Amino acid sequence: MTSEVLEGRTADGRGVRVRYSPAGIEEVADHPSAPDLLLIPGLVDIQLNGYGGLDVNDPSANALPALVRALWAQGVTTVVPTIISADDATTTTLVKTAAAARANDPVVRYAVPGLQLEGPYISSVEGARGAHDPAVIRDPDTGEFDRWQAAADGAIAIMTIAPERTGAIEFTRHLAANGVLPSVGHSLASAADVHAFAAAGGRLSTHLGNGLPAQVDRHRNPIWAQLTEDALTAGLIADGHHLPADTFVALVRAKGAERCVLTSDAAALAGCAPGDYQTAVGGAVTVTSDGGLRLTGTPYLAGSGASLLDCLRWAAKHLPLDIAVTMATTTPANLLGLRDRGRLEPGTRADILQFTPTPTSPLGTLNAIVVNGSTVSH
């Protein structure tokens, strides 16, 4: 098996020569005179609904194989496709389609370690429910979820719920006991609800600071309790629209960077030209001139118009580069239990990105993309 080599500098400035093959990273050697090129692991996105017109929530499409390959050009080598609130039949169809794509395509199977269900067991209150269809939002149903997991061939890895819903804490215990990562989101949970959720096995906050009404009580709101719960890792959408820069930095500092992950929450219209669109889910959505996505005629965000690479570039303007990179690679990989990804170390999978820095960003131009040891075009 032939080895290849990439040279450059890691996010903390260390010059290295990385030797790799499809078997994985074989050597990471110090190289003080390495060129001024940035080398980082492939990005790991734990929440993404689509990109470039490809929508994992469209039951008439089999978007996953094309989506996985389209994301390579954005440096995303591992992704957790996210299915939003829907009726039983639609959710069953969507998870079956995703499971078939994983079973039939080794590229998809490698790139997609699992799925996330974002709802339908979330808050039905306007603002908190975001762009989710209020007609399908409901209390947790263990039997229904178990049917979905069977249809998904066990692939559901994360589930976003509102802990205040009837039966949610018992349902959280069920998820945790069956190897699914429970996440709190689209919720108006009280502090007691959040702490009970964490004690029952909750592990994640879905896009902390979002999925809330525009105005909440300054002290008694779901954010503070999630920040204080060390059991919860905070997912943060760093697209420049969901969180203002000062809010983003304050959340990272309060939570601790080691308990934060960057996520794109990219919707199918991410990467598309500005204009008004009609989508299979969410209905009428406007792509704004600055790349935001909003439910047409409302102030409500309809997911993100950014890739995780876009988010990382934005985050790196406000955090040290090595911290921002860790939040988009190592930390989400660890959260998913993928200790062989999200890092440049011997023995790990060879998912590697090489960038030429520009005056405005260390992540300027993406030169090389290595996925599972093979260079891919972009």
Side-chain angles (χ1 to χ4, degrees), residues 16-366:
V16 294
R17 178 184 292 111
V18 179
R19 182 165 54 84
Y20 66 91
S21 73
I25 294 177
E26 299 167 349
E27 182 183 33
V28 180
D30 286 336
H31 184 23
S33 60
D36 189 21
L37 302 171
L38 178 66
L39 286 184
I40 65 172
L43 307 184
V44 179
D45 196 345
I46 64 170
Q47 185 185 6
L48 179 140
N49 305 114
Y51 188 83
L54 299 164
D55 191 351
V56 298
N57 286 280
D58 184 350
S60 68
N62 180 20
L64 208 49
L67 177 63
V68 163
R69 292 163 171 85
L71 289 173
W72 290 341
Q74 297 298 314
V76 177
T77 57
T78 301
V79 61
V80 178
T82 301
I83 294 167
I84 67 169
S85 302
D87 58 52
D88 185 6
T90 300
T91 300
T92 300
T93 296
L94 292 171
V95 298
K96 280 185 174 179
T97 300
R102 294 178 76 241
N104 297 330
D105 187 336
V107 170
V108 174
R109 188 161 56 252
Y110 178 80
V112 178
L115 309 173
Q116 178 177 169
L117 297 188
E118 187 184 356
Y121 311 143
I122 59 172
S123 174
S124 57
V125 177
E126 187 171 355
R129 67 175 172 81
H132 292 242
D133 181 357
V136 301
I137 293 172
R138 50 202 187 270
D139 288 333
D141 184 326
T142 300
E144 183 176 58
F145 171 79
D146 287 347
R147 290 194 301 273
W148 291 338
Q149 185 68 293
D153 196 22
I156 300 171
I158 303 173
M159 184 153 198
T160 295
I161 66 171
E164 70 271 23
R165 293 206 71 103
T166 300
I169 301 305
E170 294 80 2
F171 182 71
T172 299
R173 293 192 186 97
H174 179 74
L175 293 177
N178 287 277
V180 179
L181 194 155
S183 187
V184 49
H186 289 283
S187 166
L188 290 174
S190 67
D193 293 328
V194 171
H195 296 313
F197 170 77
R203 293 275 310 284
L204 181 65
S205 296
T206 295
H207 50 52
L208 184 62
N210 296 111
L212 288 169
Q215 294 183 345
V216 295
D217 188 284
R218 61 184 174 182
H219 294 145
R220 293 174 178 84
N221 65 64
I223 298 174
W224 307 125
Q226 291 180 64
L227 286 173
T228 62
E229 271 293 351
D230 289 347
L232 302 181
T233 295
L236 302 171
I237 305 173
D239 65 345
H241 297 279
H242 280 75
L243 296 170
D246 285 344
T247 303
F248 170 72
V249 173
L251 290 173
V252 174
R253 290 179 179 176
K255 189 67 183 177
E258 71 280 3
R259 295 191 185 95
C260 291
V261 298
L262 300 184
T263 185
S264 71
D265 193 28
L269 293 176
C272 293
D276 295 330
Y277 295 82
Q278 192 68 31
T279 64
V281 292
V285 175
T286 298
V287 180
T288 60
S289 58
D290 58 359
L293 302 183
R294 297 189 182 272
L295 296 177
T296 301
T298 80
Y300 296 124
L301 293 164
S304 164
S307 69
L308 186 56
L309 178 54
D310 295 327
C311 293
L312 178 57
R313 286 181 171 131
W314 184 84
K317 295 178 182 178
H318 307 290
L319 298 174
L321 177 62
D322 59 334
I323 289 176
V325 167
T326 297
M327 288 167 57
T329 57
T330 313
T331 306
N334 290 348
L335 189 68
L336 295 170
L338 301 175
R339 296 286 173 169
D340 62 346
R341 303 194 199 186
R343 62 204 80 213
L344 298 181
E345 297 175 1
T348 62
R349 305 309 307 172
D351 296 333
I352 310 168
L353 309 178
Q354 184 190 63
F355 296 84
T356 297
T358 65
T360 58
S361 175
L363 297 140
T365 303
L366 182 52

